[in-house]
Amino acid sequence: MTDSRQKVLIAGGSSGMGLALARRCLDDGAQVTIVGRDAERLARACEQLGRPGLLRALAADISREEQVASLFERAGALDHIACTAADIQGAYALLPDLDMAAAQRAVASKVFGPLYLARHGAARLAPGGSLTFTSGIAAYRPQPRGAVVAAINAALEGLVRALAVELAPLRVNAVSPGWVDTPIWTHVAGDRKDEALQSMARRLPAGRVGRAGDIADAIAFLMANTFTTGTVLHVEGGHRLA
Ligand SMILES: NC(=O)c1ccc[n+]([C@@H]2O[C@H](COP(=O)([O-])OP(=O)(O)OC[C@H]3O[C@@H](n4cnc5c(N)ncnc54)[C@H](OP(=O)(O)O)[C@@H]3O)[C@@H](O)[C@H]2O)c1
C-alpha cells in the first residue's frame, strides 16, 4: 500500500498497468501525476479516475530528454516515480520485417526513458523514495518476433541493478509482468489478441493471464517495502515454468 499524502508520478499512467496503478494510489489517498504523450488520452484517463483534487496529468514523451527535464520542473517534489510507459508499435516482428525506426523508438521508450527519469527525477525524490520500472517476460521466455522486446526488457533490468547501487539510499526496482490483458496487445497481436491471451491462459500454472491490477499491486508493494531494492519482481502466473 502506498502511504496516503505521498506524491507519486506514473509515466504511462494513461493506459493499462499505469492507469491501474494510478487508481490504486488514489484509493490509498496519494497525490498522483499521470504522464503520457497524448493529451487527449491523458484527459480520458483523468475522467475515468475522477478525484480531481488528488490527480493531475502532465504530457511528456519520456524518450526525449528535454521533455523529461521540463516534466520534473513542472512536477515538483515527489516520493515515488513509477514507469510503465512503452512504445513497441512496429517493434514486434520477425527480423526481415523489422522496422528499425520502430525498434529504436522501443529502445528509446523503455531504456533511455527510464534513464532520463532517473537522471532528472532522482533529485526530486524525498528520503525513502523509490523508482520502479517495468520490464517483462519476453526477456526470459522470448517468442519469435520478440527480439527487440526481449532486449529492452533485459537491458532495463541491468539498468535497475546499476541505479539501485548508484542512487542508494533511494530504492530502484522493476516489476516483470507476464502476459496481461491491456491495450498494448493491439500492437502485439492485432485481431488475434483474444485468441493469443486465451491460449496462454490455458498454458499458465495460474490458469489465467494477468490483469492490470495484478501489476499495480506489485508496483505498490515495491514502492512501500523499504528493504527491497535492485530487485526484479516477477508477476507472470508461472509463465517462466510453463
Ligand atoms: N501487457 C502485457 O502483456 C505486457 C507484458 C510484459 C511487459 N509489459 C510491459 O508493461 C508495461 C506497461 O504496458 P501496458 O500493457 O500497460 O501498456 P499500454 O496499455 O499500451 O500503456 C502504455 C502507456 O505508456 C504511455 N507511453 C508510451 N510511450 C511513451 C513515451 N515515449 N513517453 C511517455 N509515455 C509513453 C502510453 O501513452 P501515450 O501513448 O499517450 O504516450 C500509455 O499510457 C510496458 O513497459 C510493457 O512493455 C506488458
Side-chain angles (χ1 to χ4, degrees), residues 82-102:
C83 178
T84 61
D87 179 355
I88 60 158
Q89 189 166 6
Y92 228 88
L94 294 174
L95 295 182
D97 306 326
L98 193 54
D99 170 353
M100 291 313 292

Side-chain angles (χ1 to χ4, degrees), residues 103-123:
Q104 284 176 6
R105 279 196 302 277
V107 175
S109 68
K110 273 200 77 158
V111 182
F112 283 95
L115 187 63
Y116 299 146
L117 289 171
R119 182 161 138 105
H120 295 278

Side-chain angles (χ1 to χ4, degrees), residues 10-19 35-42 59-64 67 83-88 105 108-110 113 133-138 149 152-153 156 175-185 187-188 197 210 212 215:
I10 306 169
S14 63
S15 178
M17 300 172 197
L19 182 62
V35 177
R37 293 165 300 180
D38 182 336
E40 277 179 28
R41 200 175 189 189
L42 283 168
D61 180 344
I62 64 158
S63 67
R64 305 276 300 274
Q67 292 196 23
C83 178
T84 61
D87 179 355
I88 60 158
R105 279 196 302 277
S109 68
K110 273 200 77 158
F133 298 110
T134 312
S135 61
I137 187 67
V149 177
I152 56 183
N153 287 333
L156 178 60
V175 62
S176 175
W179 289 20
V180 180
D181 188 356
T182 70
I184 209 169
W185 272 88
H187 304 309
V188 179
L197 290 176
I215 310 306

Side-chain angles (χ1 to χ4, degrees), residues 125-196:
L125 291 175
S130 73
L131 297 106
T132 308
F133 298 110
T134 312
S135 61
I137 187 67
Y140 297 85
R141 298 298 304 274
Q143 299 218 333
R145 304 194 305 126
V148 170
V149 177
I152 56 183
N153 287 333
L156 178 60
E157 291 184 5
L159 177 65
V160 159
R161 286 185 283 273
L163 292 176
V165 173
E166 180 167 334
L167 298 178
L170 293 174
R171 294 174 302 105
V172 187
N173 293 293
V175 62
S176 175
W179 289 20
V180 180
D181 188 356
T182 70
I184 209 169
W185 272 88
T186 320
H187 304 309
V188 179
D191 293 347
R192 298 190 54 239
K193 167 183 170 171
D194 289 345
E195 186 190 328

Side-chain angles (χ1 to χ4, degrees), residues 32-57:
V32 174
T33 302
I34 57 171
V35 177
R37 293 165 300 180
D38 182 336
E40 277 179 28
R41 200 175 189 189
L42 283 168
R44 279 197 303 276
C46 286
E47 219 171 277
Q48 280 178 50
L49 291 167
R51 330 276 179 96
L54 291 177
L55 175 68
R56 70 178 164 176

